[in-house]
């Protein structure tokens, strides 16, 4: 019996270079490749950040990299789903409003798929939607945080999930 | 009984009918309804078997037929200029006419050709003050049994027209008011939605600024000289002021309440936890005095906690370093009263009245380092009143302030459930 996951990965491998390009920080954005505190101490622990506001994404990347994590940032929902499936990150930080595919949907698609359901997902939402907690829970998110949040609070949560 | 007396008798008999009809007419606040009733009533009153009501269109200034009985479609569709034909003449001259036989027999209408199926007709202006808003045409047809209209009929019609015009005016005003009210409500809702979206949008830049500040201050991007760090810390405080303000605005737009049964002890403890940074900073000693066995209330937990936090934050804000503060909750028969008491500077009597108004801010330097823009108490008032409670303050300069609010034990929420 063919391994569906292996087949899927094979297909997606072809898209990889494009995805990586997208994931690179936009030109002119102050985003170092690694934090000044040195090389990742958890090179095997990659955090996927899905956030369409480039600066918010960058600030998360800086914070997490400074604390030893490898980080990939993606600004588009469809690419985020594809990348998550391909690289199986240690954790996903997911903004609700990303172009292409809403954060909730990405979360649902991963959490209701037994191959990916153990990847922890932190959803970031605006405060307006009262229902965001409910929807995040329904979509299977492990945690949701409302914007604006304290960056160090997020770091704490990441540590709890990833170590 | 003489012929004249007989006429008066008939007229007098019609008066109760006239009054009852008019009363009904006044109850109607929809123009179409009024016009329909006027037509029916007028015909009954003067035993007419046909007629029409024409109203002056406010835009074109022409008379247009709003309702007609036994009128050819080709006439019914026509709009008539003021001064044109019989109706136009009546609208222009503001005087009623009775017409029998051929139109040509009347000098002012000698050029007009009348309807051959009409035996006798009356045309009466509908006047409000001295302005004509329309005319009522009443006809007795050739094929009917009634003889020609007489002066008594005309008097009845004129009297009736006076009331009709007033009822019509009522309905017009009412429709104008209702449509204005509707558009204002829509406008307010639109603004509220717009404001909510704006607050939502503001979260994005604010998050990015806060996060970058944290990156720099935490040294994620390398060491930062102390004097720069100091300014960045203050920058962060300013951003936090903006965050509080955005949050207050957002709550302002969020009017729906989420009722749930709330545990008051936990609620108060939660509120106290969220002001801990301020109480610790000012070394304010907090005393809690919650009556035992308080009845449960149904309320929007987050919003009531917000009210408590607002009151507590204000109390700390105006407290001297190291002073005391008391939070209490006690139950009456119908409501639970919450109180926040401080030993602070107090509020002058003239200000106590105003503090719950939007954008009122105490003219006090001590308060300048505290986030918020004077929306807190206004929002608290709104929230408490939304729950069916009351909020008020008592204060004396130099003797501290006491803020109270109540929540009904049987809240509106429990009825809804």
């Amino acid at each position: 019996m063919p391994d569906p996951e292996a087949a899927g990965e094979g297909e997606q491998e072809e898209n990889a270079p494009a995805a990586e390009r997208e994931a690179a920080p936009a030109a002119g954005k102050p985003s170092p490749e690694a934090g000044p505190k040195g090389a990742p101490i958890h090179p095997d622990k990659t955090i996927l950040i899905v956030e369409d506001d480039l600066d918010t994404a960058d600030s998360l990347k800086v914070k997490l990299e400074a604390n030893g994590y490898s980080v990939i940032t993606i600004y588009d929902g469809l690419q985020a789903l594809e990348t998550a499936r391909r690289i199986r990150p240690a954790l996903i930080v997911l903004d609700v409003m990303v172009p292409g595919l809403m954060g909730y949907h990405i979360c649902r698609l991963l959490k209701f798929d037994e191959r990916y359901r153990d990847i922890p997902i932190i959803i970031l939402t605006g405060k307006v939607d009262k229902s965001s907690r409910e929807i995040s829970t329904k979509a299977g998110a492990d945690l949701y945080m409302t914007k604006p949040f304290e960056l160090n609070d997020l770091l704490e949560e990441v540590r709890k999930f990833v170590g | 009984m003489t012929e004249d007396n007989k006429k008066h008798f008939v007229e007098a008999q019609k008066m109760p009918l006239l009054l009852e009809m008019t009363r009904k007419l006044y109850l109607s606040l929809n123009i179409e309804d009024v016009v329909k009733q006027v037509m029916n009533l007028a015909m009954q009153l003067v035993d007419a078997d046909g007629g029409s009501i024409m109203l002056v269109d406010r835009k074109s200034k022409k008379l247009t037929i709003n309702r007609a009985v036994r009128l050819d479609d080709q006439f019914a569709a026509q709009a008539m200029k003021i001064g044109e034909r019989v109706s136009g003449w009546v609208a222009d001259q503001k005087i009623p006419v009775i017409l029998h036989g051929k139109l040509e027999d009347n000098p002012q209408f000698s050029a007009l050709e009348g309807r051959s199926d009409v035996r006798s007709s009356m045309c009466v202006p509908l006047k409000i003050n001295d302005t004509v808003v329309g005319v009522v045409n009443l006809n007795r047809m050739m094929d009917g049994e009634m003889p020609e209209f007489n002066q008594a009929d005309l008097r009845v019609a004129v009297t009736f027209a006076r009331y009709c015009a007033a009822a019509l005016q009522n309905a017009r005003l009412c429709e104008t008011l209702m449509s204005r009210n509707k558009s204002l409500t829509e406008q307010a809702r639109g603004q509220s939605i717009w404001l909510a979206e704006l607050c939502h949008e503001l979260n994005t830049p604010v998050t990015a600024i806060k996060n970058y500040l944290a990156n720099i201050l935490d040294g994620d991007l390398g060491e930062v000289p102390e004097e720069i760090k100091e300014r960045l810390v203050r920058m962060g405080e300013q951003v936090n002021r903006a965050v509080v303000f955005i949050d207050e605005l957002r709550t302002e737009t969020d009017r729906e309440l989420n009722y749930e049964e709330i545990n008051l002890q936990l609620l108060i403890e939660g509120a106290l936890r969220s002001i801990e940074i301020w109480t610790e900073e000012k070394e304010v000693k907090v005393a809690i005095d919650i009556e035992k066995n308080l009845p449960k209330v149904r309320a929007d937990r987050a919003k009531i906690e917000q009210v408590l936090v607002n009151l507590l934050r204000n109390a700390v804000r105006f407290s001297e370093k190291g002073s005391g503060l008391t939070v209490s909750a006690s139950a009456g028969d119908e409501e639970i009263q919450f109180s926040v008491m401080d030993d602070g500077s107090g509020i002058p009597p003239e200000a106590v009245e105003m503090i719950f108004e939007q954008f009122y801010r105490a003219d006090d330097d001590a308060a300048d380092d505290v986030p918020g823009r004077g929306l807190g108490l206004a929002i608290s008032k709104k929230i408490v009143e939304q729950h069916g409670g009351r909020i008020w303050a008592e204060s004396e300069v130099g003797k501290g302030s006491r803020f109270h609010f109540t929540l009904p034990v049987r809240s509106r929420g429990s009825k809804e459930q």
Side-chain angles (χ1 to χ4, degrees):
Chain A
M1 191 175 158
D3 181 351
E5 200 171 339
E9 276 187 2
E11 270 170 33
Q12 282 155 356
E13 213 63 60
E14 290 161 32
N15 297 329
E20 295 297 355
R21 266 201 308 280
E22 273 300 312
K29 292 290 170 189
S31 177
E33 284 310 306
K37 286 178 181 171
I41 46 172
H42 310 292
D44 52 326
K45 287 176 180 172
T46 301
I47 314 287
L48 178 63
I49 293 171
V50 186
E51 162 71 66
D52 69 324
D53 182 69
L54 303 191
D55 289 320
T56 302
D58 182 50
S59 67
L60 291 173
K61 184 178 160 78
V62 167
K63 173 56 71 189
L64 293 172
E65 282 181 347
N67 287 277
Y69 297 99
S70 328
V71 177
I72 292 178
T73 46
I74 301 268
Y75 313 114
D76 168 89
L78 283 169
Q79 291 226 328
L81 184 65
E82 184 274 320
T83 309
R85 284 176 173 158
R86 184 167 48 82
I87 68 167
R88 302 186 62 89
L91 181 138
I92 304 173
V93 179
L94 189 56
D95 182 49
V96 188
M97 299 294 280
V98 277
L101 195 58
M102 290 274 285
Y104 293 127
H105 295 140
I106 299 172
C107 184
R108 235 191 119 73
L109 285 168
L110 292 171
K111 284 295 187 181
F112 285 76
D113 186 331
E114 59 183 24
R115 291 171 293 176
Y116 309 107
R117 70 162 47 132
D118 50 346
I119 302 174
I121 296 182
I122 299 178
I123 281 193
L124 304 179
T125 75
K127 264 189 181 176
V128 178
D129 12 27
K130 226 187 298 176
S131 51
S132 53
R133 173 192 218 140
E134 204 180 307
I135 300 174
S136 306
T137 315
K138 268 188 190 158
D142 297 86
L143 185 75
Y144 89 101
M145 295 181 85
T146 52
K147 288 182 184 177
F149 50 87
E150 296 296 330
L151 206 42
N152 285 314
D153 289 349
L154 181 83
L155 178 65
E156 272 313 297
E157 297 300 338
V158 171
R159 279 192 177 128
K160 279 186 206 160
F161 284 110
V162 183
Chain B
M1 205 186 275
T2 66
E3 196 56 28
D4 219 32
N5 277 346
K6 210 171 173 182
K7 272 183 205 160
H8 281 123
F9 178 72
V10 173
E11 239 176 281
Q13 270 186 323
K14 281 179 178 168
M15 282 319 284
L17 178 65
L18 182 72
L19 286 172
E20 176 55 19
M21 287 172 165
T22 323
R23 193 187 64 80
K24 274 190 191 157
L25 199 58
Y26 273 95
L27 292 176
S28 178
L29 289 173
N30 165 289
I31 292 179
E32 221 175 285
D33 243 34
V34 170
V35 168
K36 186 175 156 192
Q37 286 192 53
V38 166
M39 188 75 260
N40 293 342
L41 299 181
M43 283 170 57
Q44 282 184 51
L45 267 175
V46 297
D47 297 309
D49 38 19
S52 65
I53 291 187
M54 307 176 85
L55 296 181
V56 178
D57 184 82
R58 277 187 277 195
K59 277 186 191 147
S60 69
K61 303 286 175 212
K62 282 183 179 172
L63 281 169
T64 45
I65 293 184
N66 283 60
R67 189 145 194 103
V69 176
R70 293 194 65 179
L71 185 71
D72 290 345
D73 288 348
Q74 62 174 82
F75 281 107
Q78 272 174 14
M80 210 173 280
K81 279 187 202 151
I82 304 291
E84 202 179 4
R85 296 193 62 91
V86 178
S87 301
W89 184 88
V90 167
D92 187 40
Q93 299 294 314
K94 303 174 186 173
I95 39 177
V97 289
I98 281 192
L99 299 166
H100 313 303
K102 290 188 171 177
L103 266 185
E104 297 91 307
D105 299 345
N106 302 277
Q108 68 269 46
F109 306 123
S110 56
L112 300 177
E113 201 183 317
R115 283 168 60 187
S116 57
D117 56 341
V118 175
R119 182 197 308 270
S120 172
S121 66
M122 296 193 287
C123 184
V124 182
L126 290 167
K127 287 191 290 187
I128 294 167
N129 299 324
D130 202 37
T131 308
V132 174
V133 295
V135 296
V136 181
N137 287 301
L138 292 158
N139 303 325
R140 283 181 183 162
M141 311 302 274
M142 285 296 187
D143 56 12
E145 282 164 17
M146 293 298 291
E148 295 175 341
F149 288 121
N150 57 28
Q151 287 302 317
D153 294 318
L154 190 65
R155 275 198 295 276
V156 171
V158 167
T159 310
F160 183 63
R162 211 173 291 147
Y163 291 115
C164 291
L168 211 59
Q169 179 75 344
N170 263 356
R172 272 194 179 169
L173 284 175
C174 182
E175 283 197 358
T176 311
L177 280 177
M178 285 197 304
S179 87
R180 261 188 220 161
N181 184 39
K182 196 178 159 210
S183 84
L184 280 175
T185 313
E186 273 164 18
Q187 213 178 322
R189 192 183 303 135
Q191 270 174 1
S192 181
I193 292 169
W194 178 82
L195 202 58
E197 276 170 12
L198 182 75
C199 291
H200 186 72
E201 288 304 318
L202 280 170
N203 276 331
T204 303
V206 159
T207 303
I209 295 169
K210 267 179 73 89
N211 288 0
Y212 272 147
L213 276 172
N215 283 152
I216 300 166
L217 284 170
D218 294 349
D220 295 343
L221 296 159
E223 280 313 304
V224 182
E226 206 49 47
E227 63 268 32
I228 292 180
K229 231 179 190 175
E230 235 174 71
R231 270 66 176 196
L232 289 177
V233 168
R234 283 193 222 161
M235 202 170 140
E237 282 163 5
Q238 295 285 3
V239 174
N240 283 340
R241 284 174 77 155
V243 171
V244 171
F245 187 39
I246 293 167
D247 214 35
E248 285 183 347
L249 265 182
R250 187 188 55 78
T251 336
E252 174 70 13
T253 64
D254 182 15
R255 297 209 163 83
E256 264 176 57
L257 294 181
N258 267 341
Y259 280 103
E260 58 181 307
E261 205 146 85
I262 53 177
N263 180 326
L264 298 173
Q265 179 88 30
L266 292 179
L267 184 82
I268 291 172
E269 283 170 7
L272 284 170
R273 254 197 314 280
S274 52
I275 61 149
E276 237 165 40
I277 29 166
W278 289 295
T279 49
E280 278 171 10
E281 190 186 318
K282 278 204 165 175
E283 294 164 25
V284 170
K285 290 183 253 336
V286 183
I288 307 176
D289 176 17
I290 304 177
E291 200 180 285
K292 272 182 191 158
N293 302 323
L294 279 180
K296 287 218 167 121
V297 287
R298 285 186 65 80
D300 187 311
R301 191 179 45 77
K303 293 213 162 157
I304 295 302
E305 187 172 323
Q306 190 191 351
V307 174
L308 269 172
V309 168
N310 268 331
L311 296 184
L312 288 166
R313 216 169 62 190
N314 268 343
V316 177
R317 177 168 157 179
F318 293 103
S319 286
E320 297 286 320
K321 201 166 184 174
S323 63
L325 190 156
T326 309
V327 198
S328 72
S330 58
D333 282 344
E334 286 171 2
E335 52 187 23
I336 288 180
Q337 181 173 325
F338 297 82
S339 303
V340 173
M341 291 158 278
D342 65 57
D343 305 332
S345 47
I347 308 159
E350 67 274 12
V352 172
E353 304 276 305
M354 285 153 61
I355 46 175
F356 292 103
E357 285 169 24
Q358 238 172 52
F359 295 110
Y360 173 80
R361 182 146 190 194
D363 189 16
D364 189 329
D365 286 347
D368 275 356
D369 55 342
V370 188
R373 282 283 309 262
L375 274 173
L377 285 175
I379 289 172
S380 298
K381 182 169 189 254
K382 211 171 254 180
I383 293 174
V384 169
E385 286 176 355
Q386 243 184 325
H387 280 84
R390 301 169 291 127
I391 188 165
W392 71 100
E394 300 166 312
S395 187
E396 229 175 290
V397 174
K399 289 190 174 172
S401 310
R402 294 171 299 282
F403 280 83
H404 314 279
F405 74 93
T406 63
L407 286 180
V409 173
R410 287 207 165 273
S411 71
R412 277 179 276 179
S414 54
K415 279 179 213 159
E416 280 164 21
Q417 293 296 309

